[in-house]
Amino acid sequence: MLKGLLASVLGARTRSAANRASVQALLEEGVVHARAERAADAERCLLEVLRREPSNPDALNLLGLLAYKRTHYDTAAAYFKEALQSGGEVADFRANLGMALEGLSRLRDAEQAYRRAIALNPAELRYRLMLLFLLGQDVATSPAALLAEHRRFATELVDPVPQGSFPAARFADPERRLRIGYLSGDFRMHAVAFFIEPLLAARDRAAFEVFCYQTGAEADEHTARFRALADHWHDVSSLADDEFAALVRSHEIDVLVDLAGLTTGNRVLALARRPAPVQVSYLGYLATTGVKAIDYRITDALADPPGTSDAWYTEKLVRLPRSFWSFAPPERMPEPLARAETDASPIVFGSFNRLTKVRPEVLRLWGRLLAQVPESELWILDVPSDEAHERVVAEVAAAGVAATRIKTWTRLPADPYWNRIRRADIALDTFPYNGGATTCECLWLGVPVVTKSGAMGFARSATSILGNVGLSELVADSEDRYVEIAARLASDRPRLRALQRGLRDRMRASPLLDAPGFMRDLEQAYREVWRRACADRPAR
């Protein structure tokens, strides 16, 4: 995120003639260091700027971004406030203050900051996406309110983009071999990648030709594997929206499947140009996009129950008959931990989702759980600083729990991350935004997951996953029920150990690991939406 935020901080400002050149040079040097993730060198340059110009708003803003990246949110907020005081109402400064306030869980203040940034620069897409992300993470946001915000975003910034048309001959044969395009910035080692591989490896090559459009510049060994599985591969990370849309149109893609939605690296403005006759949202964004040019959203009946959830999306929901998840665990993931029947060590609850999903109300609920399970511990990963650790521990300990029972770790690489998961007894899911890949990883590593379901797809992803492995009894419909389910499981060691031993076999036998069956369901959905397109546009 930091690299993306650095691009617009060096606007020309009035400075004294004596210092202007040297201060500008120091600012530029600080940006270079920050982009290269040399935080100490960047900070050195920026502090020298402040020594020469104590109220330099650009330096204050950049120092705030460096503090934000280290999750020193109090410090970051102070810098951003100073930047606003000295530089005036700059939209970037106000939006950055919103990020820091969100990190401090001051959601109402963060929302006001984002809305102010939007008012200052209504055309900036990034501010809208920050606001939408915040609202989706907030338990106080109703489905109707979230839908309204997405509609407003799309109506003002996306839907006005002109759309093209397609020759009638394209729709003459509903049963021909279809060209499917997959658009993602996550063709790499990323949580979404666990679900992308089956799309490429288990497909019907005779009936579907696959094009992959890589929108992010990052690549690794997983990128190479995905590239080998696709029929056609295009790195579009450097293309403007018009250029990207023209490229897709030149390939005559029939169904374009967007795996990014409104997440980082999205190309929603290219999709607004409708480069393909049928456009589908799937996997990467579990809410509506609000965008008229996106026709469908892939889901299932557990994630989006029929009759209750359709109203919260502008897209038409296409429910796969079993699961809309297809999990491909990396081969190097370790075996579940072998646990002795007589093991009576303290129960370890674990949180393995991103810290941004762990809201104060969730932490306080976990404190209630620890209070009900004597001597139990809570492990929380992705806590990157002492400041964040103290904030997390304070929320949990407010339930009367000793701080020594709460342990945190910074973000870990894949192998130690998986090893940490499998040493826990029970994983605790976040809400309202559930874990998807994290839930599957925990189950594959022999750790049951307790979740709380909500109204929207992103609040029911773990409900879908657990339902598909026959563990709906671990899904709560209230906070009290969440505590009850986790506490009862922790107190019944024979049941817990039997469940842990059988989780990998449950996964293997479930729709989640039936990639060929999943692809039959998904490709049938592609065929059906294409038939609808042909019926709506008869050849003339």
Side-chain angles (χ1 to χ4, degrees), residues 114-126:
Y114 293 148
R115 292 191 186 281
R116 177 58 179 156
I118 291 168
L120 290 167
N121 187 355
E124 177 55 57
L125 185 70
R126 180 167 59 89

Side-chain angles (χ1 to χ4, degrees), residues 27-266:
L27 277 171
E28 291 173 357
E29 184 181 353
V31 169
V32 169
H33 287 310
R35 284 176 172 161
E37 300 190 355
R38 296 188 295 267
D41 291 331
E43 191 170 41
R44 173 183 53 78
C45 293
L46 298 170
L47 290 174
E48 176 60 21
V49 171
L50 292 185
R51 190 186 69 79
R52 302 183 188 191
E53 289 187 5
S55 298
N56 185 286
D58 289 330
L60 291 165
N61 183 50
L62 280 166
L63 285 165
L65 290 172
L66 292 172
Y68 176 85
K69 188 173 184 183
R70 296 194 297 268
T71 71
H72 296 167
Y73 299 130
D74 279 321
T75 303
Y79 274 127
F80 295 138
K81 288 176 181 177
E82 285 191 62
L84 285 162
Q85 289 172 359
S86 63
E89 277 292 293
V90 177
D92 263 4
F93 298 171
R94 185 60 67 177
N96 292 345
L97 175 60
M99 293 193 311
L101 294 171
E102 184 177 352
L104 292 167
S105 295
R106 292 170 54 184
L107 301 189
R108 300 286 76 75
D109 293 335
E111 180 181 346
Q112 290 179 10
Y114 293 148
R115 292 191 186 281
R116 177 58 179 156
I118 291 168
L120 290 167
N121 187 355
E124 177 55 57
L125 185 70
R126 180 167 59 89
Y127 307 152
R128 308 294 185 108
L129 300 185
M130 288 175 170
L131 176 63
L132 293 175
F133 179 79
L134 169 73
L135 295 175
Q137 303 275 341
D138 187 354
V139 294
T141 305
S142 69
L146 193 61
L147 173 64
E149 287 291 349
H150 280 83
R151 283 187 186 276
R152 185 176 300 112
F153 150 76
T155 299
E156 294 177 2
L157 289 191
V158 183
D159 292 342
V161 175
Q163 298 183 22
S165 59
F166 302 90
R170 287 279 298 277
F171 307 98
D173 183 2
E175 307 306 319
R176 64 174 170 79
R177 189 186 191 209
L178 294 182
R179 292 187 166 192
I180 309 296
Y182 289 110
L183 163 65
S184 179
D186 299 322
F187 291 120
R188 55 188 174 86
M189 181 56 183
H190 186 277
V192 174
F194 296 151
F195 308 104
I196 290 177
E197 187 165 349
L199 301 177
L200 306 179
R203 61 196 168 87
D204 181 347
R205 294 172 181 268
F208 299 90
E209 182 179 6
V210 166
F211 292 68
C212 286
Y213 300 98
Q214 180 184 358
T215 63
E218 293 184 57
D220 55 24
E221 67 273 13
H222 298 273
T223 309
R225 185 164 71 250
F226 292 150
R227 184 168 187 162
L229 289 170
D231 293 313
H232 310 276
W233 184 275
H234 299 274
D235 182 347
V236 298
S237 58
S238 63
L239 296 185
D241 292 320
D242 282 330
E243 295 172 316
F244 174 41
L247 179 68
V248 173
R249 185 175 286 270
S250 73
H251 294 154
E252 297 188 344
I253 299 299
D254 300 306
V255 180
L256 182 60
V257 184
D258 177 26
L259 302 176
L262 303 182
T263 59
T264 301
N266 74 82

Side-chain angles (χ1 to χ4, degrees), residues 255-419:
V255 180
L256 182 60
V257 184
D258 177 26
L259 302 176
L262 303 182
T263 59
T264 301
N266 74 82
R267 300 303 298 266
V268 67
L269 293 177
L271 289 166
R273 290 157 168 80
R274 190 170 283 282
V278 179
Q279 300 190 150
V280 178
S281 176
Y282 173 52
L283 196 59
Y285 194 70
L286 301 183
T288 186
T289 63
V291 175
K292 288 182 179 179
I294 300 179
D295 308 295
Y296 299 98
R297 180 175 176 272
I298 302 293
T299 184
D300 63 38
L302 288 172
D304 286 294
T308 60
S309 59
D310 299 77
W312 311 131
Y313 301 91
T314 58
E315 304 86 357
K316 292 184 177 120
L317 296 185
V318 177
R319 295 178 177 87
L320 301 188
R322 300 182 301 167
S323 172
F324 82 103
W325 303 97
S326 183
F327 182 59
E331 292 180 1
R332 76 174 196 268
M333 284 185 76
E335 291 292 318
L337 191 66
R339 303 173 193 268
E341 287 285 347
T342 57
D343 180 13
S345 57
I347 289 292
V348 173
F349 297 105
S351 166
F352 306 109
N353 286 300
R354 296 192 315 272
L355 189 61
T356 53
K357 294 183 178 182
V358 184
R359 292 305 186 190
E361 56 270 20
V362 177
L363 291 167
R364 291 191 288 269
L365 189 69
W366 292 346
R368 286 176 49 194
L369 173 60
L370 290 185
Q372 288 197 22
V373 183
E375 299 183 358
S376 60
E377 294 182 356
L378 174 61
W379 294 358
I380 305 179
L381 269 61
D382 194 33
V383 181
S385 68
D386 291 341
E387 180 186 291
H389 167 84
E390 291 170 3
R391 189 170 61 253
V392 164
V393 170
E395 292 285 0
V396 179
V401 175
T404 54
R405 294 171 59 187
I406 307 154
K407 296 178 171 59
T408 68
W409 285 264
T410 59
R411 184 169 298 181
L412 299 173
D415 292 322
Y417 168 73
W418 291 326
N419 278 314

